[in-house]
Amino acid sequence: MSETRKLFIKTYGCQMNVYDSERMAEALGGQGYVETDTPDDADMIVLNTCHIREKAAEKVYSELGRFRELKAAKPGLKIGVAGCVAQAEGEEIMRRQPLVDLVVGPQSYHKLPQLEARTRAGEKALDTDFPEEDKFDHLAARPKARRAPAAFLTVQEGCDKFCAFCVVPYTRGAEVSRPAERVMSEARDLVERGVREITLLGQNVNAYHGHDGGLAGLIRDLAGIDGLERIRFTTSHPNDMDDALIAAHGEVEKLMPYLHLPVQSGSDKVLKAMNRKHDAESYLRLIERIRAARPDILISGDFIVGFPGETEEDFRATMDLVSAVEYGQCYSFKYSPRPGTPAAERSHVDEATKDERLQRLQALLRSQQRVVQDRMVGQEVNVLFERAGRAAGQMVGKSDHLHSVFVEAEDVAIGDLRRVRIVESAANSLRAELV
Ligand code: SAH
Ligand code: SF4
Ligand code: F3S
């Protein structure tokens, strides 16, 4: 038997990175690695990175610098960089930061065991290829250990949309869908291990085409798995929200009433400059159709303020669109120029204006979010309990609408799906009683 080594993985960025980190840890499990939750006693550290905004990428370099002392104290410590920064800047990372032994991109992490072996032999290892083969076919079967009740499952990767601001098509490559039967077998496997809720992941998940019936067809098949109680998916592009998927929201009981549907801006001029290929009006009409199919659906979104060329009038159009939609949840960002993307070459909105617009937008989004959340008070909802709370006897879970819900109850266990009545709406959560 090989000796046990300790692996510390730190994950940045989106949910797909969370999923990838799990798969990387499993891949290195075959090399005798077990996960640890601190870098201090690790034999290998992997940063699974995000390149979406400038700050996210900078964090990687400052984080790496902090491992200098650890490495001096333990020369056998190996340091790896994975994820989207690795893909975009792998060679530069190797040059700039001699502490790094290993760089692996999001499409080649199935080769981690070989790459790790090379670092043990004293070499530096870099793999940022987009290989022909499907990495999932080359990863070992997933271990059988019991798991938390909610899990992510990647079904689609990459993006062909090329929004003018976005690095994802470059870091994750072209759109690829995993075949439905593979997804089904991974889902069954997760359910056998205690999972009751699965969130299907893709950079552009509703472009999924690994099933004849698209994402809607996959969701209907998944709904047939006994023991799987809840299905979610993220992230969707408005242009791929087809009739079948909208209908599924009305018909498939296990498909949860929550939809993340980023629009980025409410100005048609800005949307065009972003290469989004839809306008504000078509987005609003789409939301109406989705709400007609599932009236209680909670809509979530992403916004970018201060995109090159955005005027005060364009920004007001974004505020108007937000007012019209009434979001239950939103993420908003200042535009961040990314190397290699078309928008990075354009003339930029000044930082103070971006700051000021972000504050106005976030104030509006916060107030909407609160209105939607407060409306839950008095209602009965289902909650899947995921962890114990800080207070004694407190349990925390997620409602169908993805609100965090707290209850004080003796007889609730992690993994229980229970009916509760919401009694109070707090800053970012709801308090409830069992019914
Ligand atoms: N695939 C998803 C989004 C992936 S990135 C989609 O199509 O919506 C997540 C969010 O980050 C985006 O929706 C966008 O709002 C934001 N984002 C992406 N690139 C950005 C940039 N250069 N500057 C600021 N925010 C950005
Ligand atoms: Fe990026 Fe999403 Fe646009 Fe693709 S659709 S380029 S992932 S923002
Ligand atoms: Fe970041 Fe890559 Fe995800 S850039 S948001 S980790 S796809």
Side-chain angles (χ1 to χ4, degrees):
M1 231 191 90
S2 59
E3 61 180 308
T4 302
R5 301 197 187 107
K6 290 193 174 149
L7 170 69
F8 174 73
I9 302 193
K10 183 160 178 176
T11 308
Y12 303 82
C14 62
Q15 289 122 320
M16 195 171 289
N17 266 9
V18 175
Y19 177 83
D20 289 343
S21 289
E22 265 184 38
R23 301 295 309 241
M24 286 193 266
E26 290 167 9
L28 287 170
Q31 310 299 106
Y33 281 95
V34 292
E35 273 192 272
T36 167
D37 53 12
T38 155
D40 300 337
D41 64 350
D43 299 288
M44 176 150 190
I45 296 174
V46 175
L47 299 182
N48 193 11
T49 62
C50 173
H51 203 235
I52 202 82
R53 283 169 290 275
E54 195 174 0
K55 280 211 180 102
E58 271 169 11
K59 267 195 221 149
V60 178
Y61 287 102
S62 67
E63 185 79 34
L64 283 171
R66 271 186 250 157
F67 299 141
R68 187 163 294 122
E69 280 171 34
L70 281 178
K71 188 137 177 168
K74 192 193 228 177
L77 169 65
K78 301 298 176 193
I79 295 179
V81 180
C84 290
V85 181
Q87 188 63 47
E89 300 184 354
E91 277 162 27
E92 195 188 334
I93 295 170
M94 283 282 194
R95 260 199 316 276
R96 239 172 96 173
Q97 189 43 276
L99 291 172
V100 173
D101 302 287
L102 186 158
V103 166
V104 66
Q107 297 313 334
S108 22
Y109 66 71
H110 54 297
K111 297 188 221 148
L112 261 176
Q114 295 100 289
L115 297 170
E116 188 271 350
R118 280 172 52 197
T119 68
R120 292 282 150 210
E123 290 174 39
K124 300 244 172 195
L126 180 142
D127 194 332
T128 50
D129 290 346
F130 287 108
E132 280 295 312
E133 79 263 15
D134 176 357
K135 67 170 175 268
F136 296 108
D137 287 348
H138 293 260
L139 286 164
R142 307 201 69 177
K144 294 290 169 199
R146 194 124 186 111
R147 316 184 29 124
F152 295 132
L153 203 180
T154 292
V155 302
Q156 180 278 336
E157 265 190 272
C159 184
D160 297 341
K161 296 266 190 292
F162 291 92
C163 298
F165 50 81
C166 184
V167 292
V168 171
Y170 311 96
T171 63
R172 294 273 172 172
E175 255 176 47
V176 181
S177 295
R178 294 178 70 190
E181 54 286 10
R182 306 287 173 83
V183 175
M184 290 297 290
S185 91
E186 191 168 331
R188 281 192 207 97
D189 194 59
L190 289 169
V191 171
E192 275 168 28
R193 295 164 60 197
V195 170
R196 306 189 75 186
E197 169 176 318
I198 291 180
T199 302
L200 306 173
L201 300 181
Q203 265 85 37
N204 203 355
V205 72
N206 55 347
Y208 177 79
H209 55 261
H211 186 291
D212 292 344
L215 185 64
L218 178 68
I219 288 169
R220 286 179 192 270
D221 285 358
L222 285 164
I225 298 178
D226 280 341
L228 178 61
E229 307 295 344
R230 288 174 154 186
I231 302 166
R232 306 181 187 277
F233 61 88
T234 199
T235 293
S236 301
H237 191 286
N239 290 1
D240 293 313
M241 215 50 221
D242 60 15
D243 291 343
L245 192 52
I246 295 174
H249 271 288
E251 291 162 13
V252 180
E253 217 175 307
K254 291 183 180 178
L255 182 58
M256 291 293 102
Y258 183 100
L259 179 65
H260 186 57
L261 197 61
V263 61
Q264 315 297 355
S265 169
S267 151
D268 289 343
K269 184 193 95 195
V270 172
L271 287 169
K272 194 160 197 304
M274 285 177 165
N275 192 32
R276 290 289 294 185
K277 299 198 171 80
H278 58 74
D279 58 21
E281 189 51 39
S282 63
Y283 179 81
L284 291 172
R285 276 201 310 271
L286 175 60
I287 299 281
E288 270 172 26
R289 282 166 55 219
I290 296 163
R291 282 188 168 140
R294 180 77 204 230
D296 71 332
I297 199 161
L298 190 146
I299 304 289
S300 142
D302 289 342
F303 288 91
I304 295 177
V305 300
F307 186 77
E310 185 190 72
T311 62
E312 173 63 24
E313 195 189 340
D314 295 320
F315 175 69
R316 280 207 211 114
T318 297
M319 297 288 275
D320 290 345
L321 178 136
V322 169
S323 300
V325 171
E326 196 170 71
Y327 287 94
Q329 174 77 50
C330 255
Y331 304 88
S332 47
F333 315 96
K334 284 191 284 179
Y335 169 70
S336 170
R338 307 309 294 129
T341 59
E345 311 300 321
R346 302 177 193 162
S347 78
H348 297 307
V349 172
D350 66 273
E351 212 49 35
T353 305
K354 283 189 200 171
D355 279 325
E356 187 257 344
R357 287 181 190 163
L358 186 66
Q359 276 182 30
R360 276 154 71 198
L361 176 62
Q362 290 188 337
L364 176 61
L365 292 169
R366 262 197 310 276
S367 72
Q368 278 198 342
Q369 200 167 314
R370 196 56 199 261
V371 168
V372 172
Q373 198 190 285
D374 290 353
R375 219 180 271 151
M376 302 307 295
V377 175
Q379 290 193 38
E380 282 187 16
V381 300
N382 301 315
V383 174
L384 178 63
F385 287 94
E386 295 182 17
R387 62 183 174 89
R390 287 219 189 87
Q394 194 180 54
M395 293 294 289
V396 192
K398 291 276 164 56
S399 73
D400 292 349
H401 298 93
L402 213 52
H403 286 121
S404 285
V405 180
F406 288 70
V407 299
E408 262 98 50
E410 295 298 317
D411 64 333
V412 175
I414 290 174
D416 283 0
L417 186 61
R418 300 284 290 266
R419 193 100 184 134
V420 306
R421 181 178 304 105
I422 306 297
V423 293
E424 192 189 323
S425 171
N428 273 309
S429 63
L430 294 164
R431 208 165 57 75
E433 292 167 353
L434 297 177
V435 294

